[in-house]
Amino acid sequence: MARIVMKFGGTSVADLDRIQNVATRVQREVEAGHEVAVVVSAMSGVTNQLVKWCQELSPLHDAREYDTVVATGEQVTIGLLAIALQTAGVDARSWQGWQVPVRTDGAHGKARVEAIEGEELIRRMQMGQVPVVAGFQGIGPDNRVTTLGRGGSDLSAVALAAAVRADRCDIYTDVDGVYTTDPRIVPRARKLERISYEEMLELASVGAKVLQTRSVELAMKQRVRLQVLSSFEDKPGSLVVDEDEIVEHPVVSGIAYSRDDAKVTLRRVPDRPGVAASVFGALARANVNVDMIVQNIGADGSTDMTFTVGKTDLMRAQDVLGKAQAELGFEALLADPDVAKISVVGVGMRSHAGVANTMFRALAEKNINIQVISTSEIKVSVLVAADYTELAVRALHTAYGLDGPAA
Ligand code: ADP
Ligand code: ASP
Ligand code: MG
């Protein structure tokens, strides 16, 4: 007997048949004698539509009202799944974030979970009831609904698993595990039976959407046993485990890509102390995250500064920097949303040289121009034109010897 948190993503609850399928899977675990709590996402496509409506009405909309709108998708699926479970004879009850409550900070649109009160849910689970909890949403210090950033239901599931002291957290999705890269782009991607928290964290943070970054971070911190598996097939999935549970580490364990970033270049920024602090300080105050940054050596007292921000933050970044142009003293702001970040990740990089060089060579052979480069201890990322995303990912997957047998 175990206590399990089962999380189902958007494609797993995309219509009533799939919700029935989820109910059957939950029922199976309950009948096996386990205590189960479920976390669900909105039906696939629904959150995108809700986000689009907010953007269409006003690109610089109030983040609190955005949360009011985008959190609604999950309210529908918790109710429907609870009905499906009850109809199948399973005792179940839906829970919105504020009802649990899932307490978050006040960063609307990308709130952090601060605390979840798990005792009432534990009591219900011990009575044999299945709590069906809305992913992605919580309640902020202002007593208003918050959301946890796109893909945030994974974080809801891990945070809930920690709060109810679950034995494991199973993330059911539309692929049967974590692969060496997105299997939808590279059919020869290989499934990893095990991946370390560190590598999963790095892969997620550079775009592997299979798990949301903060969910992996929290699972690592709270020692939550995470498993990624298919909601459509009965197969073992991938386990996310401690690094020392993996016997052999390849130099590169995976390739990820992200089309979620936009490139911003400030032309002819004055080359003097404090300029970077002013530029990035202004962005931070507007809650805009900056990722890759390059700055050239100044020539005639000025320099060009290039960095990336999330595409959804681009308008806000342009607005903030535009308003501060006179004070910051740059000549022009150029924005390019048609870029992709391609990254190679592996803990084996710590002890191997030449990883970046293999990457640059493989991209050069395909005639792909590199716009920005950034590295960390276990990752190398490059920014390229978005049109080359698939080509770059496939070329790197082959260059690092990750291709499995042809299907
Ligand atoms: P869910 O709606 O269940 O949360 P997501 O779409 O967020 O599902 O995540 C699953 C998707 O992640 C897969 O369909 C796949 O295209 C993508 N993906 C990206 N990188 C990887 C990877 N390395 N391994 C597996 N899937 C990946
Ligand atoms: N429904 C939310 C989204 O699409 C949360 C999630 O699916 O994890 O981002
Ligand atoms: Mg997801």
Side-chain angles (χ1 to χ4, degrees):
M1 265 227 298
R3 183 176 294 162
I4 313 167
V5 171
M6 303 171 78
K7 182 261 169 176
F8 295 89
T11 40
S12 308
V13 292
D15 55 36
L16 293 186
D17 282 344
R18 291 191 177 177
I19 289 177
Q20 289 285 5
N21 167 57
V22 167
T24 306
R25 280 176 186 274
V26 172
Q27 182 169 24
R28 215 193 289 164
E29 299 290 8
V30 172
E31 285 173 358
H34 300 309
E35 289 177 10
V36 180
V38 184
V39 172
V40 284
S41 300
M43 292 178 171
S44 67
V46 167
T47 311
N48 284 348
Q49 179 60 61
L50 296 169
V51 171
K52 201 161 153 248
W53 280 335
C54 294
Q55 271 159 356
E56 276 172 15
L57 269 182
S58 164
L60 297 175
H61 47 255
D62 182 316
R64 281 163 295 210
E65 301 311 337
Y66 164 93
D67 278 349
T68 302
V69 176
V70 302
T72 57
E74 276 73 10
Q75 183 171 344
V76 174
T77 46
I78 52 170
L80 291 175
L81 180 58
I83 292 173
L85 284 165
Q86 289 169 0
T87 309
V90 178
D91 185 13
R93 184 60 64 207
S94 67
W95 294 77
Q96 293 185 58
W98 63 268
Q99 291 172 305
V100 174
V102 176
R103 296 202 184 279
T104 71
D105 66 11
H108 283 276
K110 42 184 149 185
R112 286 187 163 268
V113 176
E114 287 184 337
I116 296 187
E117 285 164 34
E119 295 314 314
E120 177 60 15
L121 296 187
I122 293 176
R123 198 180 64 79
R124 304 249 185 157
M125 288 162 87
Q126 284 170 337
M127 283 163 38
Q129 191 174 84
V130 176
V132 182
V133 180
F136 187 48
Q137 52 171 260
I139 180 159
D142 56 359
N143 217 23
R144 303 198 68 91
V145 173
T146 51
T147 62
L148 312 178
R150 297 306 307 270
S153 298
D154 295 332
L155 176 62
S156 308
V158 171
L160 188 71
V164 302
R165 303 183 287 280
D167 298 296
R168 50 175 223 263
C169 180
D170 291 342
I171 307 283
Y172 287 87
T173 182
D174 57 359
V175 284
D176 61 357
V178 178
Y179 281 70
T180 46
T181 192
D182 187 345
R184 298 190 194 289
I185 288 210
V186 182
R188 291 180 72 173
R190 278 183 296 113
K191 185 162 127 187
L192 302 165
E193 268 172 52
R194 283 161 183 262
I195 180 163
S196 69
Y197 287 112
E198 287 80 358
E199 283 168 310
M200 191 62 243
L201 183 59
E202 201 81 48
L203 275 175
S205 73
V206 290
K209 292 212 161 97
V210 62
L211 286 175
Q212 190 232 25
T213 310
R214 282 203 250 140
S215 72
V216 185
E217 204 172 36
L218 189 68
M220 182 158 122
K221 208 163 99 196
Q222 301 271 355
R223 320 297 327 152
V224 174
R225 281 183 71 79
L226 257 192
Q227 188 180 189
V228 176
L229 61 177
S230 165
S231 62
F232 305 112
E233 292 172 282
D234 288 311
K235 288 190 185 174
S238 300
L239 281 174
V240 187
V241 297
D242 276 328
E243 208 176 302
D244 54 19
E245 285 183 53
I246 299 176
V247 187
E248 231 179 300
H249 287 287
V251 178
V252 167
S253 52
I255 319 279
Y257 65 92
S258 164
R259 295 194 188 97
D260 297 340
D261 301 312
K263 184 176 73 168
V264 177
T265 300
L266 298 182
R267 297 294 301 274
R268 298 180 60 81
V269 185
D271 192 18
R272 56 174 153 76
V275 169
S278 305
V279 169
F280 298 116
L283 292 171
R285 280 191 295 281
N287 222 349
V288 173
N289 290 335
V290 173
D291 181 22
M292 305 168 105
I293 302 176
V294 279
Q295 188 191 322
N296 280 335
I297 293 175
D300 51 0
S302 77
T303 177
D304 289 350
M305 198 183 261
T306 295
F307 51 88
T308 59
V309 297
K311 249 182 210 160
T312 50
D313 283 339
L314 180 58
M315 291 277 245
R316 216 174 287 275
Q318 283 175 291
D319 183 56
V320 166
L321 295 173
K323 284 182 182 145
Q325 180 165 8
E327 181 200 332
L328 296 171
F330 60 88
E331 193 178 278
L333 183 155
L334 313 176
D336 179 5
D338 297 321
V339 290
K341 182 171 68 173
I342 317 287
S343 309
V344 301
V345 171
V347 293
M349 276 183 211
R350 289 191 193 123
S351 49
H352 279 77
V355 176
N357 191 37
T358 304
M359 182 178 202
F360 303 151
R361 224 173 341 102
L363 295 175
E365 274 164 21
K366 299 288 179 196
N367 237 334
I368 300 173
N369 188 39
I370 297 172
Q371 305 181 6
V372 183
I373 301 170
S374 75
T375 63
S376 80
E377 197 189 17
I378 65 166
K379 173 202 80 187
V380 186
S381 302
V382 294
L383 201 70
V384 303
D387 284 348
Y388 293 114
T389 311
E390 278 94 349
L391 183 63
V393 171
R394 290 197 191 112
L396 294 172
H397 200 263
T398 305
Y400 289 105
L402 295 173
D403 288 349

